[in-house]
Amino acid sequence: MPHSILEVIALNALDARAARDGGADRIELVADMRAQGLTPPVETYAAVRAAVELPVRVMLRADDGYALSDAATLTRCARELRAAGADEFVLGFLDADGKVDIAAVETVLAAIDGCRWTFHRAFDHAGDRLAAWDAIAELPGLDGVLTAGSPHGVEAGLGTLLSEATRTPPVLVGGSLRQQHLAPLLDVGVRAFHTGGAVRPAGAWDAPVDAHLVRLWRGLLP
């Protein structure tokens, strides 16, 4: 059975160190979880990069929503992060009709110079999920889709996730993911998992990542 990936959301270097100490395989670095995760300052990325050697995927998202509202600002941020050494990213955009906005995605991809990236949970808000899969299939550098199977979280989307386990690019399951969801997902071959609130005391975003909680999750995965 291949090794799985446990990705942990970090807001700063303290979170990143706790995630590492608990056995996380990768960090998703974001700012402002009240807006479901925005682009962090380049200084935060630099601090995290200095603190841990884990892969770090950096969010490229300017505001709370799924449209590319300010392409100039976001591409400038992307180039600054690249210059600071960032080489993995998280992004994804929808248009006003709920379709994957390929033009917007390609605009940002041009600023990250062929790096690997995850299409984030904008995917769960697409109006036509099958069409969304088709739209992203050939995007360069894309190696995962962060999805709960539903806008309402993994509990609501579990059936969809089970049916998409063999999709390419592979699913990275996250969005109110709970430990009881792991066994059925592992059984159908899902090997990438994403968590944030579940590895913080009481699920509070103003509490730091707890290495012990990360270790409990890592121990449930192959």
Side-chain angles (χ1 to χ4, degrees), residues 68 91-93 100-110 117 119 139:
L68 180 57
L91 62 120
F93 307 103
V100 175
D101 190 338
I102 294 297
V105 171
E106 290 178 341
T107 294
V108 178
L109 291 184
W117 61 285
F119 197 108
L139 289 171

Side-chain angles (χ1 to χ4, degrees), residues 107-202:
T107 294
V108 178
L109 291 184
I112 64 171
D113 192 29
C115 292
R116 291 177 295 166
W117 61 285
T118 302
F119 197 108
H120 66 53
R121 282 200 64 208
F123 192 85
D124 287 338
H125 296 265
D128 183 332
R129 194 173 177 92
L130 291 178
W133 277 112
D134 290 342
I136 68 173
E138 304 299 326
L139 289 171
L142 177 62
D143 64 2
V145 177
L146 175 58
T147 175
S150 164
H152 307 294
V154 172
E155 184 67 25
L158 186 59
T160 297
L161 293 170
L162 296 177
S163 72
E164 294 177 344
T166 59
R167 280 277 185 179
T168 301
V171 295
L172 167 64
V173 176
S176 300
L177 178 68
R178 297 293 177 260
Q179 293 180 3
Q180 65 266 26
H181 300 137
L182 297 180
L185 290 164
L186 288 167
D187 284 347
V188 295
V190 175
R191 290 294 178 270
F193 301 91
H194 167 98
T195 189
V199 294
R200 297 169 186 269

Side-chain angles (χ1 to χ4, degrees), residues 34-126:
R34 293 170 299 180
Q36 306 303 309
L38 304 179
T39 302
V42 67
E43 295 81 6
T44 302
Y45 169 77
V48 168
R49 184 72 289 162
V52 300
E53 295 182 357
L54 293 177
V56 178
R57 294 220 163 179
V58 186
M59 179 66 73
L60 294 176
R61 183 167 178 255
D63 30 47
D64 190 2
Y66 301 113
L68 180 57
S69 57
D70 186 345
T73 296
L74 196 61
T75 53
R76 185 186 72 246
C77 290
R79 288 191 292 268
E80 290 172 352
L81 286 159
R82 281 290 288 132
D87 58 4
E88 300 185 37
F89 293 91
V90 184
L91 62 120
F93 307 103
L94 303 179
D95 65 20
D97 297 320
K99 298 176 182 178
V100 175
D101 190 338
I102 294 297
V105 171
E106 290 178 341
T107 294
V108 178
L109 291 184
I112 64 171
D113 192 29
C115 292
R116 291 177 295 166
W117 61 285
T118 302
F119 197 108
H120 66 53
R121 282 200 64 208
F123 192 85
D124 287 338
H125 296 265

